[in-house]
Amino acid sequence: VQLVESGGGLVQPGGSLRLSCAASGFTFSSYAMSWYRQAPGKERELVATISRAGSRTNYLDSVKGRFTISRDNAKNTVYLQMNSLKAEDTAVYYCKGVVGTVPYWGQGTQVTVSS
């Protein structure tokens, strides 16, 4: 199982970024996927989750209305569209999948929101 994130970077407050997580090594469409983030000195927190078919999503309260999680099962990829970014969104963002009972994490992608 491999999860590879991309799309992070430096963006000004109010800007947008789209993160991608390319999955391989398992039947992607059979598993829910999630995005987490970890800011310096803080615990890793769940940002968003999407069901296997993409019909159900859940979000951290502080990102509701600004972030959108989606997936393309044909491309084995999960996305996180982040709009109206704030300084407090600065963190390393990770995608996660649980295959059976085993959690798998990507290596993370840094998102920095700063003027």
Side-chain angles (χ1 to χ4, degrees), residues 15-16 26 43 48-49 58-59 73 88-89 99 114:
S16 298
F26 65 105
E43 296 285 321
T49 298
N58 287 288
Y59 296 93
N73 286 344
E88 51 264 42
D89 296 318
V99 181
S114 175

Side-chain angles (χ1 to χ4, degrees), residues 18 28 58 70 76-77 83:
R18 188 195 196 202
F28 180 75
N58 287 288
S70 62
N76 287 356
T77 301
N83 299 329

Side-chain angles (χ1 to χ4, degrees), residues 42-81:
K42 295 188 176 181
E43 296 285 321
R44 191 171 296 189
E45 63 180 354
L46 176 61
V47 175
T49 298
I50 188 166
S51 62
R52 292 174 293 177
S55 56
R56 288 175 287 132
T57 57
N58 287 288
Y59 296 93
L60 181 69
D61 282 349
S62 62
V63 308
K64 284 180 181 176
R66 300 189 298 120
F67 290 12
T68 302
I69 188 171
S70 62
R71 66 191 297 161
D72 185 337
N73 286 344
K75 295 183 179 180
N76 287 356
T77 301
V78 59
Y79 303 98
L80 187 66
Q81 177 67 44

Side-chain angles (χ1 to χ4, degrees), residues 16-37:
S16 298
L17 282 175
R18 188 195 196 202
L19 306 183
S20 300
C21 173
S24 60
F26 65 105
T27 306
F28 180 75
S29 59
S30 295
Y31 299 95
M33 296 294 296
S34 301
W35 284 97
Y36 284 71
R37 68 185 181 188

